[in-house]
Amino acid sequence: GAGVSQSPSNKVTEKGKDVELRCDPISGHTALYWYRQSLGQGLEFLIYFQGNSAPDKSGLPSDRFSAERTGGSVSTLTIQRTQQEDSAVYLCASSLATGRETQYFGPGTRLLVL
Amino acid sequence: SQQGEEDPQALSIQEGENATMNCSYKTSINNLQWYRQNSGRGLVHLILIRSNEREKHSGRLRVTLDTSKKSSSLLITASRAADTASYFCATDAFAGGGNKLTFGTGTQLKVEL
């Protein structure tokens, strides 16, 4: 079946611009996670959704980062006023439910802020 | 922050040899998972071992877990060139209602023909 999809695959933007990253989870998966992978920090948790609510936003690095999920499906991660240190691969994952479930990852969005 | 530390950071072996990667973590966990990543993109789930399990097999993969030492190992037997990738362990502490994963630093495996 279809896996987790993310768009765009690559995004180049100028410092100060806003960007939106999209994640389509596996159909029927209620839990959705965003992670970031950068050279200096490795793989970091950003935020997770159970349905449309986000019980844990502890990983968001600043108030420039926000995410939403609508209809219990698609999620968008928005970065406002991008900075060069935001350059990274942004990975989305989904799981059938929260709690002891395997997470399935999308291919990621590679963001480069010039 | 990285909970897990993996060693070695890089490993180069010949095709047909076995590859062993180790992961250590700091806090109590519900389960530990191993993922593979090719070319810095999506992560592929390999195997999950629960905190009450000590060993698990899947094809050419063997994972062990020692919760007293807070460590795990991944053994790939009879390696193939296609196994060349980065391998990450990830721990699931199931805090606050969600099982966010905390990843290790990764081991870069290169399997040469």
Side-chain angles (χ1 to χ4, degrees):
Chain A
V4 177
S5 61
Q6 292 186 245
S7 61
S9 299
N10 295 280
K11 176 73 177 177
V12 181
T13 190
E14 294 178 348
K15 178 181 171 181
K17 295 282 180 69
D18 297 352
V19 295
E20 271 192 3
L21 311 180
R22 177 188 169 106
C23 172
D24 277 278
I26 293 172
S27 178
H29 281 196
T30 62
L32 185 148
Y33 303 79
W34 283 98
Y35 296 86
R36 178 171 75 170
Q37 186 175 28
S38 55
L39 279 176
Q41 299 297 322
L43 272 153
E44 305 172 283
F45 166 82
L46 297 178
I47 186 171
Y48 102 91
F49 289 89
Q50 176 58 39
N52 291 334
S53 65
D56 189 346
K57 305 178 183 179
S58 62
L60 294 178
S62 76
D63 58 7
R64 296 186 294 104
F65 287 72
S66 63
E68 65 174 15
R69 189 180 186 195
T70 54
S73 181
V74 172
S75 175
T76 54
L77 176 69
T78 300
I79 309 173
Q80 294 178 309
R81 305 180 302 282
T82 52
Q83 303 294 313
Q84 288 182 331
E85 61 263 29
D86 299 335
S87 296
V89 177
Y90 289 82
L91 293 160
C92 175
S94 70
S95 67
L96 197 56
T98 54
R100 308 189 179 198
E101 293 289 340
T102 297
Q103 294 183 24
Y104 297 90
F105 282 78
T109 293
R110 190 180 299 276
L111 174 66
L112 178 60
V113 182
L114 301 175
Chain B
S1 62
Q2 298 285 335
Q3 156 150 257
E5 294 293 328
E6 294 178 60
D7 75 272
Q9 288 188 328
L11 179 61
S12 183
I13 60 174
Q14 298 293 312
E15 196 171 49
E17 294 180 337
N18 297 339
T20 299
M21 289 160 266
N22 301 297
C23 166
S24 61
Y25 56 92
K26 297 175 184 174
T27 64
S28 297
I29 62 171
N30 290 308
N31 65 58
L32 185 144
Q33 304 180 43
W34 285 89
Y35 286 85
R36 184 185 74 220
Q37 186 177 42
N38 293 84
S39 305
R41 297 307 290 264
L43 292 155
V44 174
H45 182 262
L46 296 177
I47 197 166
L48 179 153
I49 185 166
R50 304 196 187 281
S51 60
N52 62 351
E53 297 176 313
R54 292 296 168 258
E55 188 171 313
K56 204 161 183 180
H57 297 254
S58 177
R60 295 183 295 113
L61 305 180
R62 173 178 169 254
V63 168
T64 63
L65 179 64
D66 187 335
T67 53
S68 66
K69 295 180 180 178
K70 292 186 168 58
S71 67
S72 174
S73 68
L74 170 67
L75 168 68
I76 304 174
T77 60
S79 63
R80 305 167 182 167
D83 294 330
T84 295
S86 292
Y87 291 82
F88 294 88
C89 67
T91 53
D92 169 2
F94 194 58
N99 57 321
K100 66 183 182 183
L101 297 177
T102 303
F103 284 85
T105 50
T107 294
Q108 286 187 308
L109 173 66
K110 184 175 182 181
V111 181
E112 300 185 72
L113 294 170

